[in-house]
């Protein structure tokens, strides 16, 4: 029976015959040329659909296994880390770069985090979100690390997820600047790397207690 092909970033579809791929598009920011290339490639290999995903990616759905290598060659793009125990998407809102409601520069911070952490191997899947204001368009409260902009800086939440056991992230710091956020994220990820069980970070916090977790990361 066919299965996901991790090394090619190919996800088996419901028909158990075709695959979907998702090129890495940090923050969902793409050029017109990139979109044309994706569309042309999808047409060339007779993809069933192009799907915009919740992770701010463009997924090409319904590809034959024998075409996957050629699809990637034609795209000239890297696969997104969409499967496996690793840092998946760093979801970001338009922030002060584009949005009139933005309080903080979510785009710059989010892209820096994407460059550093995207695809990093961890005990379980791991999602990060950066929002430029309290409207929370990137849904930071239900991400493993959620970063929310306010007029006074960033609030950082940890342990959120929207899976079968939904959990709202715990607020562990607020009024942080960009550098303080990056330092805190690094401490969280570095500590989580040492965790032996294959659990999401929210479950880890529930097991050890929030105050113990905060002590372990130096808060």
């Amino acid at each position: 029976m066919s299965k996901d092909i991790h090394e090619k970033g190919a996800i088996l579809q419901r028909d158990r015959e075709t695959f979907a791929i998702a090129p890495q598009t940090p923050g969902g920011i793409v050029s017109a040329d990139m979109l044309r290339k994706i569309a042309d490639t999808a047409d060339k290999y007779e993809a069933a659909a192009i799907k915009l995903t919740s992770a701010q990616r463009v997924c090409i759905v319904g590809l034959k296994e024998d075409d996957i290598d050629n699809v990637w060659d034609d795209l000239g793009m890297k696969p997104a880390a969409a499967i496996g125990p690793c840092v998946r998407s760093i979801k970001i809102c338009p922030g002060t770069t584009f949005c009139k409601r933005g309080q903080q520069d979510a785009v710059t911070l989010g892209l820096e985090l994407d460059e550093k952490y995207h695809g990093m191997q961890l005990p379980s899947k791991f999602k990060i979100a950066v929002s430029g204001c309290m409207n929370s368009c990137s849904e930071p409260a239900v991400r493993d690390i959620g970063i929310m902009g306010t007029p006074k800086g960033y609030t950082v939440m940890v342990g959120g997820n929207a899976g079968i056991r939904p959990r709202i992230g715990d607020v562990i710091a607020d009024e942080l600047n960009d550098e303080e956020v990056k330092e805190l994220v690094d401490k969280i990820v570095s500590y989580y790397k040492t965790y032996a069980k294959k659990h999401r970070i929210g479950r880890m916090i529930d097991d050890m207690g929030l105050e113990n977790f905060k002590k372990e990361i130096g808060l």
Side-chain angles (χ1 to χ4, degrees):
M1 180 181 292
S2 296
K3 58 182 180 179
D4 296 341
I5 308 173
H6 287 239
E7 66 273 15
K8 296 182 180 182
I11 304 168
L12 183 66
Q13 298 301 282
R14 189 177 182 85
D15 59 12
R16 298 290 173 178
E17 294 180 356
T18 64
F19 293 81
I21 65 165
Q24 170 64 346
T25 51
I29 300 171
V30 296
S31 67
D33 286 342
M34 191 182 300
L35 289 176
R36 289 189 190 96
K37 183 176 288 188
I38 290 171
D40 289 345
T41 303
D43 280 344
K44 179 178 178 180
Y45 295 97
E46 300 179 338
I50 297 175
K51 173 72 171 68
L52 302 181
T53 77
S54 61
Q56 299 179 328
R57 294 170 178 151
V58 181
C59 185
I60 305 175
V61 181
L63 297 169
K64 299 179 183 67
E65 182 174 353
D66 291 343
D67 289 334
I68 292 172
D69 288 336
N70 290 331
V71 170
W72 282 120
D73 287 343
D74 286 0
L75 288 172
M77 300 170 70
K78 295 179 180 179
I83 50 179
C86 64
V87 179
R88 306 281 186 88
S89 60
I90 286 76
K91 189 173 182 178
I92 65 177
C93 78
T96 53
T97 305
F98 303 110
C99 182
K100 64 182 180 182
R101 296 182 177 86
Q103 301 289 337
Q104 301 294 333
D105 185 1
V107 171
T108 297
L109 178 58
L111 293 179
E112 288 177 355
L113 294 175
D114 187 281
E115 183 176 357
K116 182 171 183 177
Y117 296 107
H118 177 254
M120 179 182 287
Q121 294 295 300
L122 290 174
S124 184
K125 67 179 177 181
F126 198 94
K127 299 181 179 182
I128 301 173
V130 186
S131 177
C133 81
M134 292 176 285
N135 281 334
S136 295
C137 292
S138 59
E139 303 172 329
V142 287
R143 296 293 181 268
D144 296 278
I145 297 179
I147 303 158
M148 180 182 71
T150 75
K152 296 183 178 181
Y154 287 104
T155 295
V156 175
M157 295 165 270
V158 181
N161 71 70
I164 194 168
R165 294 182 178 180
R167 185 183 192 280
I168 299 297
D170 296 297
V171 175
I172 60 170
D174 59 11
E175 298 186 12
L176 303 184
N177 62 34
D178 290 48
E179 292 304 315
E180 291 169 331
V181 169
K182 287 186 283 188
E183 289 174 8
L184 182 54
V185 169
D186 195 57
K187 290 177 182 177
I188 294 167
V189 172
S190 296
Y191 179 71
Y192 183 55
K193 270 186 179 180
T194 68
Y195 189 56
K197 298 179 181 179
K198 296 180 180 180
H199 293 163
R200 297 285 290 270
I201 193 170
R203 186 169 174 183
M204 182 192 78
I205 292 170
D206 289 339
D207 288 346
M208 68 186 302
L210 179 60
E211 292 306 315
N212 287 330
F213 170 74
K214 290 169 66 175
K215 288 179 183 176
E216 292 289 346
I217 61 171
L219 294 179

